[in-house]
Amino acid sequence: MSRILSRRDLDFLLYEWLGVEALTSRERFAEHSRETFDAFLDVSARIAERDFAPHNRRADLVEPTFDGERVTIIPEVAAALAVFNESGLLSAGLDAEVGGLQLPHVVARACFMWFQAANIATASYPMLSIGNASLLLAHGTPEQIETYAKPILDGRFTGTMCLSEPQAGSSLSDVTTRATPSPDGSYRVTGSKMWISGGDHELSETIVHLVLARVAGAPPGVKSLSLFVVPKHHVAADGTVGERNGVALSGLNHKMGYRGTTNAVLSFEDATGYLVGQEGHGLAYMFHMMNEARIGVGAGAVALGYTGYLHALDYARERLQGRPVAAKDPAAPPVPIVEHPDVRRMLLASKAYVEGGLALVLYAAKLLDESSAENDLLLDVLTPIVKAWPSQWCRLANDHAIQIHGGYGYTREYPVEQFYRDNRLNSIHEGTDGIQGLDLLGRKVLMKDGAGLALLLDRIRDVARRSELGERVVEVADRVATTTAKLWADGNPTVALANSTAYLDAVGHLVIAWMWLSQLEAVGDKTGDFYAGKRLAARYFITHELPRTGPLLDLLDSRDTLLADLDPATL
Amino acid sequence: MSRILSRRDLDFLLYEWLGVEALTSRERFAEHSRETFDAFLDVSARIAERDFAPHNRRADLVEPTFDGERVTIIPEVAAALAVFNESGLLSAGLDAEVGGLQLPHVVARACFMWFQAANIATASYPMLSIGNASLLLAHGTPEQIETYAKPILDGRFTGTMCLSEPQAGSSLSDVTTRATPSPDGSYRVTGSKMWISGGDHELSETIVHLVLARVAGAPPGVKSLSLFVVPKHHVAADGTVGERNGVALSGLNHKMGYRGTTNAVLSFEDATGYLVGQEGHGLAYMFHMMNEARIGVGAGAVALGYTGYLHALDYARERLQGRPVAAKDPAAPPVPIVEHPDVRRMLLASKAYVEGGLALVLYAAKLLDESSAENDLLLDVLTPIVKAWPSQWCRLANDHAIQIHGGYGYTREYPVEQFYRDNRLNSIHEGTDGIQGLDLLGRKVLMKDGAGLALLLDRIRDVARRSELGERVVEVADRVATTTAKLWADGNPTVALANSTAYLDAVGHLVIAWMWLSQLEAVGDKTGDFYAGKRLAARYFITHELPRTGPLLDLLDSRDTLLADLDPATL
């Protein structure tokens, strides 16, 4: 059995639960079948296992270095990416006309999670490149697509997203990078960009930066930001890579995890940039991208939690230690630690988190495949939860995996501590958990007069009413509706948003409870350990986890403003 | 203001809350006064700041190495320990007749926390040495005290505790190290010991190992374990350090944190050992030690959480980013992030955890100073909470500190990620959180027909009934009493202990709520930011944190056996 991901669970979720095969009746996926889906899942598992997982620890130990001239990365990374590019998975979800496989998003997502689980740092390079190329395909000129997006999809170039600056992380309205129009229609881009994953390296012929900047003279605020393609090297019309552009690596950041991914401070100085789409629409384009990136971050968090869980499960079944609490004979042989209730608690909680998180990520990806006014609205509401919930709870699965391994889990001789360190980033990048809470309660539930939240709660109640475990879930869904109304009753954002993280936590747990009840419908009365495990985890989540929402909703109902009102001098 | 610990808070807790000055009326502390207490607190802060904190990061980056011959540690560690030894703090709490300062435990504990907060890895060496020497002072022969304990207290030798083995971590009944009596009254000790902090190095003339082993022919189980002094080198009666004993370093463990502390696998092969006390009493002696070690671990967890909080607080006051949610003007200048409610939530939660944890640790230490039948019983019940609660919640403060720093907090350019990694160990060593839950619910609340728990709950109710915030606390205390009775109603440990971690979590939060209400009594109607902060944190803990106990106690009341009953094949 693989310790990277569970193909059995993916098969259940994709085919038995989401009925992904039915997508092949759509014109876009007509060339596909269960056989082709399986083939790409197989090849993903194989490459992940053979080319990505083996250097996961070494990439953590031997970080990229910068000698002032060039960045050096262990050669296994380039080798793995070459195999990945060769597989065609780089454009798994893209149109056939740009060379894509036109796989459903949901299948492409499942495929990519094998790489995230096996080696999230190496997987970051293609993840960023795909995001970059997709944005150009959607908003770039035909020439930009030809010159920059296609070489990315061919694996010749890689891509980045340059949003943050040293003084502007979560707050993009403070971006100060400037773009000055040149007579030839290009722009001169000047400024400093921070936290640029894949920002510099020698893994590709050049690097295509997508840079958020403000055109000289534009007013402050996010609505006057524009987006520019700024290549590391000038690229001629015939595709030849030429001289360096005005982009320099100021330095590498050294992180707690994700250490195999270069993370750069980039200095743009009169760099030649090309406007993407229209001036002032930069953030809108980025957010088109960002929403997918947020699902990608949630998927990465699930993948890391999942592999941690599988490692912990194997360990708990093999490691002999201690005796049951009711045992009296000290000479009795020790039992596998999976026999101890507290180890079971951590394993079952982890199972509920990672399988629940995986279900949510795939459900969200399928909404993209079945885009409609309703599904798009639902996905908008779900996105902050898809991003933040796994970052928090699948990370807890990684924390449990350390604890289950005991002292061994705390050492670098075992992989689980790295999974934890890697996963810690997912609550930070692409919008912190706190930002997701504000997005959910401050934007998403208000959109279209609350139609998105109403839709979500209806879908939840619908499933819950059919389930014997559903009563508590319906109750929580009803409470979320009344609590939300109460919070926004007087339209005061300071009061409504005072405990937005508690809101995110409560709705997140409700959504995962729904994912579990929904899975149970596909389980039905099927027999065997796999299905029994699904029933067990669902029951655990509803009885041990969902009740956490009670105190959170009580707090929200009280419209408590302790946090908003406090005097920082007293902290 | 120091970012290591808050002297203001220590002064409040020691003098205004615990009334530590009154201890000087006791004969043991008659030589002391507030002035001497202050002098040792001052010197601790100074040495911690000057000699311990500056190499905290370097000791993490440049780990101890073993070349097969000897262990190399960065020289700053030896330099810091020399200053520490010189200060007399190594024997801060010990009797004057062995050269001790005879400081109250509670003051000695507060002093030592400065070193744990500044550099937990370097502080581990004296912590282990003090524990080792104290055990020998209590249970060793006069000769053992002279030969081993006194040189430790003089700073010439260091000490370790050798309990775990590769196959026996939490389960000491599985210890297989053997001790064979020699005709000269000594023993030959053979076996492998794991996770030995300070297990090998060149920081002292020799290392005194206290080794748990089974005398040849003794029956299995924990009650037939004996304790032996096994020095790294033979020590002559005149104190001269001679040839190597049969103890070899098999290898160093490489941890996620605490990287400056050597952590060894030791191989004992026919090593000469000397029995401490009587055969078969080894675990009892170790547990005398272990209880203090567990308080020490809790103190370390508080110290790391506290310094993380202070760093995060400074950062949040300085870092400008974003605008209040109600602000409309994007051109308005950014505000310090302490203005954002979710940052305040993390700061205030952290304050409530670390100041609450500090109060608990000092309260427990003072129970040692005021030893009585009642206080000893109370300390017995509190010990698993003092150990586990800060390991979990002050670690969460470290997690919050990373989040408050955003992307910066995730890098090794800022100290908060190291604090987190270091603190992760505290939920594992000296008994995992799971073990503490079993100890509390399976042993401590049953002792003397439940008298310990009854005493604890009475003390809690007593304070709570006098507080305007106390109603909810009394309710939770009453619930803990009835829940405990219900759990043990039929005396079935499998059912009673099925959710022992939930019990530990609930009682832990109740105890910290009590600590907060008790502090408020010392705050009274005093004015100023410091006291306002205490009121704020107390209110936060009671209104935002204590309600977590509701679902936990509901679960316990249901006597749910999902975890005990599950089939591991379904995980």
Side-chain angles (χ1 to χ4, degrees):
Chain A
M1 288 278 286
S2 174
R3 293 195 200 187
I4 296 178
L5 277 184
S6 163
R7 175 62 186 272
R8 179 68 189 90
D9 195 25
L10 282 172
D11 281 348
F12 167 76
L13 293 171
L14 293 173
Y15 300 120
E16 298 177 63
W17 179 54
L18 292 175
V20 162
E21 262 183 284
L23 290 173
T24 58
S25 67
R26 296 186 167 225
E27 198 191 326
R28 179 173 176 84
F29 309 122
E31 300 290 308
H32 283 290
S33 62
R34 166 123 190 203
E35 283 66 38
T36 62
F37 295 166
D38 280 346
F40 283 107
L41 289 165
D42 287 346
V43 82
S44 298
R46 199 160 57 236
I47 299 174
E49 194 96 48
R50 190 191 62 199
D51 300 293
F52 278 64
H55 70 279
N56 190 45
R57 173 60 76 176
R58 194 163 122 78
D60 181 73
L61 292 175
V62 185
E63 275 176 295
T65 53
F66 177 50
D67 61 8
E69 202 47 38
R70 62 188 66 236
V71 172
T72 305
I73 299 178
I74 59 166
E76 293 93 323
V77 176
L81 294 179
V83 177
F84 182 88
N85 293 342
E86 187 62 28
S87 72
L89 288 164
L90 199 50
S91 46
L94 299 180
D95 299 352
E97 68 174 33
V98 295
L101 299 173
Q102 227 159 283
L103 275 172
H105 279 100
V106 61
V107 177
R109 177 61 66 201
C111 288
F112 196 69
M113 287 178 76
W114 281 98
F115 301 97
Q116 293 179 303
N119 188 326
I120 195 114
T122 297
S124 291
Y125 296 103
M127 177 163 160
L128 286 154
S129 291
I130 295 167
N132 180 303
S134 300
L135 191 150
L136 286 175
L137 289 172
H139 303 290
T141 62
E143 196 197 328
Q144 287 169 347
I145 291 171
E146 205 57 44
T147 312
Y148 303 107
K150 285 194 175 171
I152 288 177
L153 297 175
D154 289 341
R156 287 177 51 215
F157 298 175
T158 52
T160 74
M161 299 212 274
C162 301
L163 286 73
S164 298
E165 300 181 358
Q167 83 298 346
S170 299
S171 173
L172 292 174
S173 65
D174 293 324
V175 157
T176 59
T177 296
R178 282 170 299 110
T180 312
S182 291
D184 66 357
S186 70
Y187 290 75
R188 302 277 151 267
V189 178
T190 298
S192 183
K193 290 289 180 180
M194 185 84 180
W195 311 122
I196 310 308
S197 289
D200 204 3
H201 54 69
E202 309 272 319
L203 296 168
S204 54
E205 293 177 33
T206 194
I207 302 173
V208 180
H209 303 293
L210 286 175
V211 181
L212 213 53
R214 208 178 298 278
V215 173
V222 291
K223 287 176 185 157
S224 60
L225 291 170
S226 304
L227 187 66
F228 299 88
V229 182
V230 185
K232 177 178 171 183
H233 300 85
H234 297 288
V235 181
D238 68 353
T240 316
V241 174
E243 292 297 296
R244 284 289 295 260
N245 194 0
V247 190
L249 176 60
S250 303
L252 295 175
N253 298 307
H254 298 94
K255 293 186 174 180
M256 180 186 182
Y258 269 73
R259 292 169 66 163
T261 307
T262 53
N263 189 273
V265 187
L266 292 181
S267 170
F268 293 82
E269 207 176 324
D270 279 336
T272 305
Y274 306 96
L275 181 69
V276 178
Q278 294 180 272
E279 280 189 15
H281 288 242
L283 204 68
Y285 304 147
M286 273 291 186
F287 258 86
H288 171 241
M289 201 69 285
M290 181 74 94
N291 282 330
E292 278 196 58
R294 286 180 173 174
I295 297 173
V297 169
V302 169
L304 285 166
Y306 214 120
T307 189
Y309 164 65
L310 294 177
H311 280 79
L313 182 58
D314 270 4
Y315 185 82
R317 285 174 170 160
E318 287 163 13
R319 168 75 171 172
L320 303 176
Q321 191 163 206
R323 284 140 201 92
V325 290
K328 296 288 175 208
D329 176 13
V335 297
I337 61 171
V338 73
E339 294 300 327
H340 302 309
D342 195 55
V343 172
R344 293 177 171 199
R345 173 186 66 84
M346 292 187 279
L347 287 170
L348 186 52
S350 300
K351 179 182 171 76
Y353 302 152
V354 303
E355 295 184 11
L358 180 58
L360 178 61
V361 165
L362 296 179
Y363 184 92
K366 188 155 176 266
L367 290 175
L368 282 171
D369 290 316
E370 300 181 319
S371 177
S372 68
E374 193 175 277
N375 282 350
D376 293 356
L377 185 62
L378 185 60
L379 184 58
D380 267 345
V381 178
L382 283 176
T383 298
I385 296 162
V386 176
K387 198 277 177 187
W389 194 91
S391 297
Q392 191 174 345
W393 297 92
C394 297
R395 169 150 64 95
L396 182 55
N398 290 121
D399 195 72
H400 286 339
I402 294 174
Q403 195 71 13
I404 290 165
H405 281 74
Y408 292 99
Y410 189 67
T411 68
R412 285 170 281 140
E413 279 78 29
Y414 283 72
V416 290
E417 66 87 31
Q418 183 185 348
F419 299 147
Y420 177 85
R421 285 188 289 105
D422 287 345
N423 217 352
R424 183 65 187 82
L425 181 60
N426 289 316
S427 282
I428 300 172
H429 64 172
E430 313 297 348
T432 63
D433 291 349
I435 297 285
Q436 303 306 317
L438 291 173
D439 183 46
L440 178 65
L441 182 56
R443 292 182 57 239
K444 299 300 175 64
V445 309
L446 298 179
M447 279 177 3
K448 306 201 178 179
D449 275 333
L453 181 68
L455 175 63
L456 171 66
L457 296 178
D458 281 348
R459 291 217 183 171
I460 292 173
R461 287 191 199 98
D462 189 44
V463 170
R465 287 201 185 104
R466 293 196 296 265
S467 169
E468 58 162 329
L469 285 170
E471 192 181 327
R472 186 71 187 249
V473 178
V474 173
E475 273 172 36
V476 176
D478 290 346
R479 278 204 69 182
V480 167
T482 53
T483 298
T484 310
K486 204 177 291 183
L487 284 171
W488 282 111
D490 60 6
N492 178 343
T494 306
V495 176
L497 299 174
N499 300 291
S500 51
T501 300
Y503 187 84
L504 178 72
D505 291 346
V507 179
H509 256 48
L510 171 62
V511 164
I512 298 297
W514 164 45
M515 289 291 112
W516 274 110
L517 294 187
S518 180
Q519 287 182 72
L520 283 191
E521 297 198 311
V523 166
D525 53 9
K526 293 174 190 167
T527 54
D529 287 342
F530 177 81
Y531 299 107
K534 287 287 182 190
R535 284 185 205 100
L536 179 69
R539 182 169 296 275
Y540 169 83
F541 198 85
I542 304 298
T543 56
H544 288 229
E545 291 283 337
L546 187 62
R548 289 181 200 264
T549 57
L552 297 170
L553 293 166
D554 290 345
L555 173 69
L556 290 159
D557 282 348
S558 74
R559 292 170 55 96
D560 181 271
T561 56
L562 187 72
L563 299 168
D565 297 342
L566 69 80
D567 175 358
T570 64
L571 286 171
Chain B
M1 287 278 286
S2 173
R3 293 194 200 187
I4 296 179
L5 277 183
S6 163
R7 176 61 187 271
R8 179 68 190 88
D9 194 24
L10 282 172
D11 282 347
F12 167 76
L13 293 171
L14 293 173
Y15 301 121
E16 297 177 64
W17 179 54
L18 290 174
V20 162
E21 262 184 283
L23 290 173
T24 58
S25 67
R26 296 185 168 227
E27 199 190 325
R28 180 173 176 84
F29 310 122
E31 300 290 309
H32 283 289
S33 62
R34 165 124 190 201
E35 283 66 38
T36 62
F37 295 165
D38 280 346
F40 284 106
L41 289 165
D42 288 345
V43 82
S44 298
R46 200 161 56 236
I47 298 174
E49 193 95 49
R50 191 191 60 198
D51 300 292
F52 278 64
H55 71 279
N56 190 45
R57 173 61 76 176
R58 193 163 123 77
D60 181 72
L61 292 174
V62 185
E63 275 176 293
T65 53
F66 177 50
D67 62 7
E69 202 47 38
R70 62 188 67 237
V71 172
T72 305
I73 299 177
I74 59 166
E76 294 92 325
V77 176
L81 294 179
V83 177
F84 182 88
N85 294 342
E86 187 63 28
S87 72
L89 288 165
L90 199 50
S91 47
L94 299 179
D95 297 353
E97 68 174 33
V98 295
L101 299 172
Q102 228 160 282
L103 275 172
H105 279 100
V106 61
V107 177
R109 177 62 65 200
C111 288
F112 196 69
M113 288 178 77
W114 280 98
F115 301 98
Q116 293 178 303
N119 188 326
I120 194 113
T122 298
S124 291
Y125 296 102
M127 177 164 160
L128 286 155
S129 292
I130 294 166
N132 180 303
S134 300
L135 190 150
L136 286 175
L137 289 172
H139 304 291
T141 62
E143 196 196 328
Q144 287 169 348
I145 291 171
E146 205 57 43
T147 311
Y148 303 107
K150 286 195 174 169
I152 289 176
L153 297 174
D154 290 342
R156 287 178 51 218
F157 298 174
T158 52
T160 75
M161 300 212 274
C162 300
L163 286 73
S164 298
E165 299 181 359
Q167 83 299 344
S170 299
S171 173
L172 292 174
S173 66
D174 293 325
V175 157
T176 58
T177 296
R178 282 170 298 111
T180 312
S182 292
D184 67 356
S186 71
Y187 290 74
R188 300 278 152 267
V189 177
T190 298
S192 182
K193 290 290 180 180
M194 185 82 181
W195 310 123
I196 311 308
S197 289
D200 204 4
H201 53 68
E202 310 271 318
L203 296 167
S204 53
E205 293 177 32
T206 194
I207 303 173
V208 180
H209 302 293
L210 286 175
V211 181
L212 213 52
R214 208 178 297 278
V215 173
V222 291
K223 286 176 185 157
S224 59
L225 291 170
S226 303
L227 188 66
F228 299 89
V229 182
V230 185
K232 176 178 171 183
H233 300 85
H234 297 288
V235 181
D238 68 354
T240 317
V241 174
E243 293 296 297
R244 284 289 293 261
N245 194 1
V247 191
L249 176 60
S250 302
L252 296 175
N253 298 307
H254 299 94
K255 293 184 173 180
M256 180 185 182
Y258 268 73
R259 293 169 66 163
T261 307
T262 53
N263 189 273
V265 188
L266 293 180
S267 172
F268 294 82
E269 207 176 325
D270 279 336
T272 305
Y274 306 96
L275 182 69
V276 177
Q278 294 180 273
E279 279 189 14
H281 288 241
L283 203 68
Y285 304 148
M286 272 291 186
F287 258 86
H288 171 239
M289 200 70 284
M290 181 73 94
N291 282 331
E292 278 196 58
R294 286 180 172 173
I295 297 173
V297 168
V302 169
L304 285 166
Y306 213 121
T307 189
Y309 164 66
L310 294 176
H311 281 79
L313 182 58
D314 271 5
Y315 185 82
R317 285 174 169 161
E318 287 162 12
R319 169 74 170 172
L320 303 176
Q321 190 165 208
R323 284 140 201 91
V325 288
K328 298 286 175 208
D329 176 12
V335 298
I337 61 171
V338 73
E339 294 299 328
H340 302 309
D342 194 57
V343 172
R344 293 178 171 199
R345 173 186 66 84
M346 293 188 278
L347 287 170
L348 185 52
S350 301
K351 179 182 170 77
Y353 303 152
V354 304
E355 294 184 11
L358 180 58
L360 177 61
V361 164
L362 296 179
Y363 184 92
K366 187 155 176 266
L367 290 175
L368 282 171
D369 290 317
E370 299 180 319
S371 177
S372 67
E374 194 175 276
N375 282 350
D376 293 355
L377 184 62
L378 185 60
L379 184 58
D380 268 344
V381 178
L382 283 176
T383 298
I385 296 162
V386 176
K387 198 279 177 186
W389 194 92
S391 297
Q392 192 175 343
W393 296 93
C394 296
R395 169 150 63 95
L396 182 56
N398 290 120
D399 195 71
H400 286 339
I402 294 174
Q403 195 71 14
I404 290 164
H405 281 74
Y408 293 100
Y410 189 67
T411 67
R412 286 169 282 141
E413 279 78 31
Y414 283 73
V416 289
E417 66 87 30
Q418 183 184 348
F419 299 148
Y420 177 84
R421 285 188 289 106
D422 286 345
N423 217 351
R424 183 65 186 82
L425 181 60
N426 289 316
S427 281
I428 299 172
H429 64 173
E430 313 296 349
T432 62
D433 291 350
I435 297 285
Q436 303 307 317
L438 291 173
D439 183 46
L440 178 65
L441 182 56
R443 293 180 57 237
K444 299 300 176 62
V445 309
L446 298 179
M447 280 176 4
K448 306 200 179 179
D449 276 332
L453 180 68
L455 175 63
L456 171 66
L457 296 178
D458 280 349
R459 290 217 184 172
I460 292 173
R461 286 191 200 98
D462 189 43
V463 171
R465 286 201 186 103
R466 293 195 297 265
S467 169
E468 57 162 330
L469 285 169
E471 192 181 327
R472 185 71 189 248
V473 177
V474 173
E475 273 172 36
V476 175
D478 290 345
R479 279 204 69 181
V480 166
T482 54
T483 297
T484 310
K486 204 176 292 183
L487 284 171
W488 281 111
D490 60 6
N492 178 344
T494 306
V495 175
L497 300 173
N499 299 292
S500 50
T501 301
Y503 186 85
L504 178 72
D505 291 346
V507 179
H509 256 47
L510 171 63
V511 163
I512 298 298
W514 164 46
M515 288 292 112
W516 274 109
L517 295 187
S518 181
Q519 287 182 73
L520 284 192
E521 297 199 312
V523 167
D525 53 8
K526 293 173 189 165
T527 55
D529 288 341
F530 177 81
Y531 299 107
K534 287 287 182 192
R535 284 184 205 100
L536 179 68
R539 182 168 296 275
Y540 169 83
F541 198 86
I542 304 299
T543 56
H544 288 230
E545 291 284 337
L546 188 61
R548 289 182 200 264
T549 57
L552 297 170
L553 293 166
D554 291 344
L555 173 69
L556 290 159
D557 282 348
S558 74
R559 292 169 55 96
D560 181 272
T561 56
L562 187 71
L563 299 169
D565 296 342
L566 69 81
D567 175 359
T570 63
L571 286 170

